[in-house]
Amino acid sequence: MPNLTINGIAVAVPDGTTILNAAKTIGVHVPHYCYHPRLSIAGNCRMCLVEVEKFPKLQTACSTVVTEGMIVRTDTEKVRKAVTGVLELILIHHPIDCPICDQAGECGLQNYYMTYGLHKSRYALEDKVHKKKVQDIGGQIVLDAERCILCSRCVRFLDEVTQTRELHIFSRGDHSEISVFPGRPLSNDYTGNLADICPVGALTSKDFRFKCRVWFLKGAESICTGCSNGCNVEAHFKGDILYRLKPRENEAVNRSWMCDFGRLEYKKANDARLLAPFVREGGAEKAVSWGALVPRVALELSRAAEAGPDAAAVIASPQLSNEELYLARRIATELLGTRNLAFTHRAPGDGFEDGFLIRADKNPNSRGARLLGIPDGAAFDALVERIAAGTVRALLVFGNVVGSFTEAETAALLSKVPFVAQVGTNDGPVSKVATAVMPSASFAERGGTFTSHAGRVQRFRAGFAPRGKARNTVDLLVELANRMGAGWTFAGEASVFHALSATEAPFAGMTYESVGSQGQECKP
């Protein structure tokens, strides 16, 4: 474990640590473009030059491994002059299109220019080499070759992570540029990561371009709801509009990456939302207040339960959080006393999985539902049969679909139930026929925990208040239960998780603090 000093600060790091990473441990930032902690070291941008005592020349911090007694300086005039020169070289042919570049606000060129540049260009504007702009190269990416500084992060990502190798560096000298081969666009499921790792505006997101300046966005730690892998993400929003999801580092789950399918999950928080409660009378929708709707739903469910254990039913959703599933189960078993409780084992999508981050189960919390004792599979099929047989008089259904049934099949099935109450986020086959529709908050508007396919319990946090008149599902279920005489005193998802961990063995001993931002394995 070598000892060294960086800018006069003593530090000891494990064998094999580079100067750049050693500097990170004591909060010293070394500028860089080509270095990325998840990719091989290229050392081609030369921005991370540092001075090492007894070394005749400046060294690249990203590729130089520390040794015992090494003395490193990152803040000398010699280093600053060298980094300024490197930056000037990089900017020689860079276009002056910052006002329209979508990377503005998170561009490494802009940021370092303010620290090391601020120089007048010695290169005539008309002499700049012009390259192709706004190229759709496939996947979620638009390429602007003029802005590229040839750091090669994108090339290494496709070589080392996806191993699809679509991007290469072509030509030489001033005319070098990254591109795909003619007729061979990006063809993997992780192209959005290229926009994340590009340190300038050369590779930008086709979906996010020109939608919002990044300095207007706020962020919240969240979990991707696109499948059961539980990729950690950052949800970026402005007001009550969710604009994008970006991967959040978690070595145990998704490292620094996420798939293109999950990246577009944010749209569910914006599109086709159910924003106000309503009832359906004579086939027509009629707006109703929450104050009138919740007591009516509670009354209908209670009346059905009094008619017999099979007359009331609950269809849970693997899109619900652990906290919401826990309350839904207690409503079914304790308040309605029904055996008709299951969650759909079917999922939208084609069941594709790739052995990396994409799982066949396209729901974030199937594992959590099972651990909480809510069955699927044969139990769900049996429940559907009882509904089809007309034995269910009142049904509480969560989510926008019932299994993989089509809209017509869903309508036919639910027509067998006199009273269908839905708790859902988006318009869908269920809301089109439900007797009572109770809009709920999206994953960006509420908090809680999901349990991944691997049994990792992970928190997601609310970014903003529920849109329209939608309600937090936990609050809604607590009120509904209390209308049925539960006497619950839960106040928010944290109090529900506390009760859950106290009674459910797989979650025993867990707290929001122990789960933290990286998650915690549940007990087998």
Side-chain angles (χ1 to χ4, degrees), residues 347-405:
D350 56 6
F352 170 74
E353 65 178 14
D354 65 356
F356 182 30
L357 300 181
I358 302 172
R359 301 289 164 184
D361 181 0
K362 306 305 180 190
N363 297 293
N365 206 22
S366 299
R367 181 77 183 270
R370 296 188 184 104
L371 290 174
L372 289 167
I374 302 176
D376 60 335
F380 175 75
D381 292 337
L383 175 54
V384 169
E385 289 177 5
R386 286 194 286 274
I387 293 173
T391 60
V392 174
R393 296 178 53 177
L395 171 66
L396 177 61
V397 56
F398 294 86
N400 317 307
V401 296
V402 176
S404 57
F405 293 153

Side-chain angles (χ1 to χ4, degrees), residues 291-414:
L293 183 58
V294 176
R296 178 179 172 185
V297 172
L299 181 63
E300 295 286 351
L301 290 172
S302 298
R303 282 178 176 170
E306 291 170 0
D310 290 335
V314 175
I315 295 180
S317 167
Q319 295 278 334
L320 296 179
S321 67
N322 291 318
E323 294 81 352
E324 293 157 352
L325 288 166
Y326 171 76
L327 296 181
R329 189 200 70 189
R330 289 190 60 180
I331 287 175
T333 58
E334 297 177 15
L335 301 177
L336 300 179
T338 180
R339 296 168 294 180
N340 291 332
L341 169 66
F343 79 92
T344 174
H345 63 290
R346 300 182 178 93
D350 56 6
F352 170 74
E353 65 178 14
D354 65 356
F356 182 30
L357 300 181
I358 302 172
R359 301 289 164 184
D361 181 0
K362 306 305 180 190
N363 297 293
N365 206 22
S366 299
R367 181 77 183 270
R370 296 188 184 104
L371 290 174
L372 289 167
I374 302 176
D376 60 335
F380 175 75
D381 292 337
L383 175 54
V384 169
E385 289 177 5
R386 286 194 286 274
I387 293 173
T391 60
V392 174
R393 296 178 53 177
L395 171 66
L396 177 61
V397 56
F398 294 86
N400 317 307
V401 296
V402 176
S404 57
F405 293 153
T406 65
E407 187 171 319
E409 291 170 338
T410 301
L413 178 69
L414 298 186

Side-chain angles (χ1 to χ4, degrees), residues 138-142 186 191-192 204-207 259-261 263-264:
Q140 295 190 7
I141 297 300
V142 170
L186 294 173
T191 60
T204 52
S205 165
K206 199 183 298 181
D207 178 73
C259 73
D260 289 351
F261 308 116
R263 202 175 285 270
L264 298 180

Side-chain angles (χ1 to χ4, degrees), residues 105-176:
E106 50 188 8
C107 172
L109 277 177
Q110 281 185 337
N111 296 339
Y112 288 148
Y113 179 76
M114 299 305 293
T115 305
Y116 297 96
L118 298 175
H119 52 263
K120 291 184 178 179
S121 175
R122 290 182 284 175
Y123 205 71
L125 186 63
E126 58 270 19
D127 291 334
K128 286 181 180 287
V129 175
H130 297 289
K131 300 172 185 175
K132 290 182 181 177
K133 301 181 75 67
V134 197
Q135 303 172 68
D136 184 346
I137 59 172
Q140 295 190 7
I141 297 300
V142 170
L143 166 64
D144 189 318
E146 271 191 356
R147 298 173 185 165
C148 177
I149 61 171
L150 299 173
C151 72
S152 78
R153 279 187 180 186
C154 54
V155 176
R156 282 176 282 147
F157 174 81
L158 296 174
D159 284 349
E160 299 164 14
V161 180
T162 67
Q163 300 183 352
T164 48
R165 301 181 176 84
E166 296 101 324
L167 279 173
H168 295 269
I169 297 177
F170 297 89
S171 300
R172 292 178 179 274
D174 288 349
H175 290 77
S176 293

Side-chain angles (χ1 to χ4, degrees), residues 50 95 289 298 305 384 411:
V50 296
S289 69
V384 169

Side-chain angles (χ1 to χ4, degrees), residues 25-141:
T25 64
I26 55 173
V28 174
H29 177 73
V30 178
H32 58 273
Y33 290 124
C34 68
Y35 171 79
H36 189 284
R38 302 290 179 186
L39 303 175
S40 62
I41 293 172
N44 58 16
C45 76
R46 320 302 290 179
M47 280 291 288
C48 64
L49 292 172
V50 296
E51 196 169 356
V52 181
E53 192 169 286
K54 298 181 182 178
F55 279 51
K57 296 181 180 178
L58 298 177
Q59 303 295 305
T60 51
C62 71
S63 61
T64 304
V65 176
V66 302
T67 57
E68 178 64 31
M70 183 178 272
I71 299 174
V72 179
R73 302 294 305 186
T74 71
D75 57 356
T76 65
E77 184 58 30
K78 185 178 181 180
V79 170
R80 187 176 184 86
K81 185 176 180 181
V83 173
T84 299
V86 170
L87 190 59
E88 183 179 8
L89 178 64
I90 290 174
L91 287 168
I92 279 182
H93 293 293
H94 195 78
I96 314 299
D97 61 355
C98 295
I100 61 167
C101 177
D102 232 29
Q103 199 75 3
E106 50 188 8
C107 172
L109 277 177
Q110 281 185 337
N111 296 339
Y112 288 148
Y113 179 76
M114 299 305 293
T115 305
Y116 297 96
L118 298 175
H119 52 263
K120 291 184 178 179
S121 175
R122 290 182 284 175
Y123 205 71
L125 186 63
E126 58 270 19
D127 291 334
K128 286 181 180 287
V129 175
H130 297 289
K131 300 172 185 175
K132 290 182 181 177
K133 301 181 75 67
V134 197
Q135 303 172 68
D136 184 346
I137 59 172
Q140 295 190 7
I141 297 300

Side-chain angles (χ1 to χ4, degrees), residues 455-472:
R456 193 174 191 83
V457 180
Q458 302 184 106
R459 284 189 68 182
F460 61 100
R461 292 171 169 79
F464 47 92
R467 294 181 66 187
K469 296 181 180 178
R471 290 186 62 181
N472 184 301

